[in-house]
Amino acid sequence: MKCFQHVADIGDLKAALDEALEVKKNRFAYQHLGKNKTLLMVFFNSSLRTRLSTQKAAMNLGMNVIVLDVNQGAWKLETERGVVMDGDKSEHLLEAIPVMGCYCDLIGVRSFARFNDKQEDYEERIFEQFKQYSGRPVFAMETATVHPLQAFADLITIEEHKTCPRPKVVMTWAPHCKPLPQAVPNSFSEWMCATGYDFVIACPEGMELDERFTHGATITHNQDEALQGADFVYAKNWSAYRDPNYGKIINRDMSWTVSAQKMALTRNAHFMHCLPVRRNLVVTDDVIESPRSLVVPEAANREISAEVVIKRMLESM
């Protein structure tokens, strides 16, 4: 595996899940794979779970880890060709990337959508340049459009807690105070559609995601209807994808907040969220603190999803 960005990159999902459970039983069983190998984690944006879980996963595998915060302690990077670099950006990404590749064996990249140009975001220009010019295997630690490590961890969590072969999983939009990328819901949808689960997306009109990620899902604008009989409720906010509102907040309807009343419509469902979460905006205190909340086990499984991905990349070297 030279790149990890989409669900297709992981191959057979059952095999990947079996491997995840094996790794979880003994996280240090494969340290020989990472001996004298170095992971470079490049952050263009902030992180808590991704940084900690991915670094821990690499250490479990015996790797050395270098963490680079591009916006703190490094030269500001230009990302576009043809720009006269007479501003505050001292180095171009096209020189920086191959230099980074000289110092490591694997690269993880985190770079959010900028919302300045939809085409630029959805072409994944920064991540694609790492793939093209680094000379190293590259994996996504959340990009402009996807967050596969999160989606893989979500899938592991659902598999560990489901009580029937084909659970009903509902991803519901929730209100937020700032425009958020579509990366997490895109990947969650892409991965859930690949499972064969009964997967439903509930969102207000105008908040539909890119159909490339939602093909196979049931999409409804009625949240209460979607929640009926749900086994898992995944709450997430995202900004508008459709033009001319790309990257904007076009709905602040607080009736979409996931509350105890909403959860009562389900089949005693588990609550899920990728974190960080705005309490009493996305979800109420009583729901996220309830015994049916999986937000902490879900976050813990980020270590496992990252370890499986890094392990496979090391094995393919």
Side-chain angles (χ1 to χ4, degrees), residues 39 60 64 71 79 83 104 106 113 115 125-126 129 136 144 148-150 153 160 162 165 195 231 243 249 254 263 270:
L39 168 66
N60 292 350
N64 302 310
N71 297 317
T79 61
V83 175
C104 65
L106 300 178
F115 292 148
R125 292 182 188 172
I126 290 179
Q129 288 183 79
R136 301 294 183 224
L149 288 175
Q150 180 65 53
E160 289 178 320
K162 72 180 186 180
T195 62
D231 298 295
D243 296 328
I249 296 175
M254 290 292 290
M263 293 298 289
H270 288 287

Side-chain angles (χ1 to χ4, degrees), residues 1-6 9-10 19 30 33-34 37-40 54 61 63 105-109 127 130-131 134 136-141 148-149 305-317:
M1 186 164 62
K2 301 298 184 183
C3 176
F4 178 70
Q5 187 175 8
H6 296 287
D9 297 325
I10 204 71
E19 189 172 344
Y30 302 96
L33 293 174
K37 298 289 194 306
T38 299
L39 168 66
L40 171 62
T54 309
L61 291 165
M63 298 190 77
D105 300 280
L106 300 178
I107 300 178
V109 180
F127 190 74
F130 273 90
K131 288 166 60 177
S134 69
R136 301 294 183 224
V138 181
F139 62 91
M141 301 192 300
L149 288 175
S305 65
E307 187 164 346
V308 171
V309 169
I310 296 170
K311 172 180 173 287
R312 288 189 171 195
M313 286 188 157
L314 290 170
E315 288 171 335
S316 70
M317 291 176 64

Side-chain angles (χ1 to χ4, degrees), residues 171 193 198-202 214-220 226:
M171 180 173 72
C193 288
D198 179 7
F199 179 53
V200 180
I201 301 173
T214 63
H215 181 72
T218 299
I219 302 173
T220 178

Side-chain angles (χ1 to χ4, degrees), residues 7 13-14 16-17 150-160 188 191-192 195 197 272 301:
V7 67
L13 277 182
K14 185 181 184 306
L17 286 165
Q150 180 65 53
F152 188 14
D154 295 334
L155 176 58
I156 295 167
T157 307
I158 291 172
E159 284 291 308
E160 289 178 320
F188 187 76
W191 284 67
M192 291 301 106
T195 62
Y197 295 161
M272 300 180 70
N301 276 333

